[in-house]
Amino acid sequence: MAAQLTTFPEDDLCPKICTDKGAFKKAKKTPEKALAELQEAKEDQEAKEMKKVDEMPVDAVENPPETLGPPPTGNEYLPKLKPGPDGKVDWTPLAGMTGTRPSVNKYSISRYSLNEWRKHNESVLDPEIINESNIVDYNAKTCMMQAFGNVDKQQLDNNNRLKQKARDIFRWKVEVEKACKAITHEVELLEIDRQRLKGASRVLMLPESITNECLDLRSNRFTPDLVADLAEQELLKENKLVQEVRATLKNTLDSIEEQMAINKASKQKIEYDFCDKALAYNTESENLGLTTKSNTIMFKPGATKFGDYTAPLEYWEFFCRETVENCEATRQKSADLRGSLDAILVSNGRKLRNQADKTDIALAETVAIQSELCTKLEELLRTTLQKIADMEALIGNLQDSIKKMDAAMKLAQTRLYNRNVGRPHGESVRDQPHLGLIEEVKKIHETVTSLLGQLRNAERVRRDLLQKRIVLERDIASKRKTLNIDRERCGMIRSHYPSASELAGY
């Protein structure tokens, strides 16, 4: 199947060779062929004459008849030719006949016969060579005209072919140049996006360090507050999201670097092709500028052979088209990757920013709860302190009361002792005063026992209140440290969290 032409060839502008009869008519035979035919005719004529001489009898040769008929040629015949004085017969092929030479003596200077003389004059006056020269001159001029016409036609055809080839090369050169500029621009854009991706990876270190720092700070909380609260869960989610985003950016960076290598290879290939097209176009332009009068033309032996890497035209067309198409496919793939890169960076930036907002909200809620709890603990501590003071006052009153009961007990026991000792025999009776004093001692003893029980209870309650005070103070210190970590330190650190645009690499 014939290859499809990319452009239409120009019309043949070479003049046609004239075939009409005129001053210069092409000979039917070449000069060499005409000379060969003449030589063959002469050789046939000589062979026929020699055959006739061989057929003649010997007597006719030695004693020729006195009267001979005229030769077939119509020339005058000289009779009575005899051998010369030396008696030798001289064969004369020059005259085209047999005979003897006339004698040469002091009375005659004739050396040839009359027929030989006429034959010589006829050969000298023969116009055959003149006619042949005219034929040769005509054939030579005709050949020169045809040669120059053919050469001019071939040169014109080749000029047209060279122009057509130059146009094809220039057209592909323009296409290759466009593809080269496009892939170069794409390499520059991809390099910008690669640097942007690297910047986003560097910016990602800040959220990662902020999250890790917050987790480390919150791990320093006291034991009562060391719980996996909502803020802790959001920080862990944020840390996990940062790791996922980092892995995504790393994979994307690897894809971009791989695509960058492919783009550079395609750029190098298209640049080589562009250089080849430029050199080929310059060569064709130089060839179009050459003429037969150019000073730079010369013989080039071996120029007609094909080069070592010569390929057919179909392969050249296929190679040019394939190079441009491959370059365009590479550029389109790189553009798609850049588009996906922008979407990845924006999406990751939004995800990180949203998670950071959730973490900040969780920290704010935790801080609010801790603040409220700390306020309640402080109020409870103040109440506990007041109760401890009241309880200590109560213990003091109970102790004073018990001390006062000692005087009453001493009074009652002293009275009973005096009555038991001071009353003699019959006066020592169980009267009402004595029974009353015994009842008084009993009541005082019960009262002291009750007061001692109340004192022990008061002291126990005071110890419990003191223990409660210690617990409250520890919890308040823990809450205050947690508030300091969540509100002051974590809040200050998270105030440096990058924005979504910075996370996207802008």
Side-chain angles (χ1 to χ4, degrees), residues 143-373:
C143 183
M144 286 188 294
M145 289 294 294
Q146 290 179 353
F148 285 118
N150 291 333
V151 170
D152 292 340
K153 183 178 182 301
Q154 289 292 329
Q155 287 183 356
L156 184 60
D157 292 342
N158 288 326
N159 283 335
N160 294 331
R161 295 188 185 100
L162 288 174
K163 287 180 182 179
Q164 182 64 35
K165 186 63 177 180
R167 283 194 291 268
D168 292 341
I169 294 176
F170 182 77
R171 179 173 63 84
W172 281 112
K173 176 174 169 289
V174 171
E175 294 292 334
V176 170
E177 186 177 6
K178 290 181 181 179
C180 184
K181 289 181 179 179
I183 194 65
T184 302
H185 184 62
E186 182 61 31
V187 168
E188 294 174 356
L189 293 178
L190 190 61
E191 178 64 24
I192 293 173
D193 288 344
R194 188 172 74 92
Q195 296 299 329
R196 175 187 168 192
L197 182 58
K198 285 187 176 181
S201 299
R202 289 191 294 268
V203 171
L204 190 62
M205 296 173 63
L206 185 58
E208 185 178 8
S209 62
I210 288 174
T211 304
N212 293 330
E213 184 67 20
C214 290
L215 289 173
D216 292 338
L217 289 174
R218 287 177 63 83
S219 65
N220 295 327
R221 293 174 296 172
F222 289 149
T223 303
D225 292 335
L226 196 61
V227 294
D229 54 358
L230 182 61
E232 186 83 10
Q233 295 176 3
E234 294 297 333
L235 284 172
L236 291 175
K237 289 181 181 179
E238 183 176 345
N239 190 16
K240 183 178 180 181
L241 181 60
V242 168
Q243 298 300 327
E244 291 178 356
V245 171
R246 179 173 294 281
T248 302
L249 294 183
K250 184 179 182 302
N251 294 333
T252 306
L253 182 61
D254 294 340
S255 300
I256 286 179
E257 290 179 350
E258 182 180 358
Q259 185 62 38
M260 177 65 74
I262 295 174
N263 289 354
K264 288 183 178 180
S266 180
K267 178 176 177 289
Q268 184 180 13
K269 184 177 180 181
I270 201 72
E271 284 177 350
Y272 284 161
D273 192 23
F274 176 74
C275 293
D276 294 341
K277 293 290 187 298
L279 291 176
Y281 181 73
N282 293 335
T283 301
E284 299 298 342
S285 300
E286 181 181 358
N287 286 334
L288 285 174
L290 293 177
T291 62
T292 55
K293 297 180 180 180
S294 299
N295 297 327
T296 57
I297 60 175
M298 62 182 67
F299 290 105
K300 301 287 186 180
T304 55
K305 68 177 182 179
F306 289 104
D308 295 335
Y309 302 102
T310 304
L313 179 61
E314 294 80 3
Y315 177 77
W316 180 78
E317 293 278 351
F318 173 77
F319 175 75
C320 295
R321 188 178 299 105
E322 183 185 25
T323 303
V324 174
E325 289 177 355
N326 290 342
C327 183
E328 180 62 23
T330 303
R331 189 198 64 80
Q332 187 61 39
K333 184 178 179 181
S334 178
D336 295 340
L337 181 60
R338 286 192 299 105
S340 63
L341 170 64
D342 188 71
I344 289 172
L345 289 176
V346 172
S347 176
N348 291 335
R350 289 178 180 175
K351 288 180 181 179
L352 289 173
R353 189 64 257 181
N354 293 334
Q355 183 61 38
D357 294 339
K358 291 180 180 179
T359 305
D360 293 339
I361 293 173
L363 282 173
E365 292 178 355
T366 303
V367 168
I369 294 172
Q370 292 288 348
S371 298
E372 183 180 359
L373 184 58

Side-chain angles (χ1 to χ4, degrees), residues 22-46:
F24 299 99
K25 183 179 179 182
K26 185 177 180 180
K28 296 181 179 180
K29 300 178 181 179
T30 60
E32 293 79 4
K33 188 175 181 180
L35 291 176
E37 290 181 355
L38 290 175
Q39 187 67 26
E40 291 178 358
K42 288 181 180 180
E43 291 178 357
D44 293 341
Q45 185 66 24
E46 291 177 359

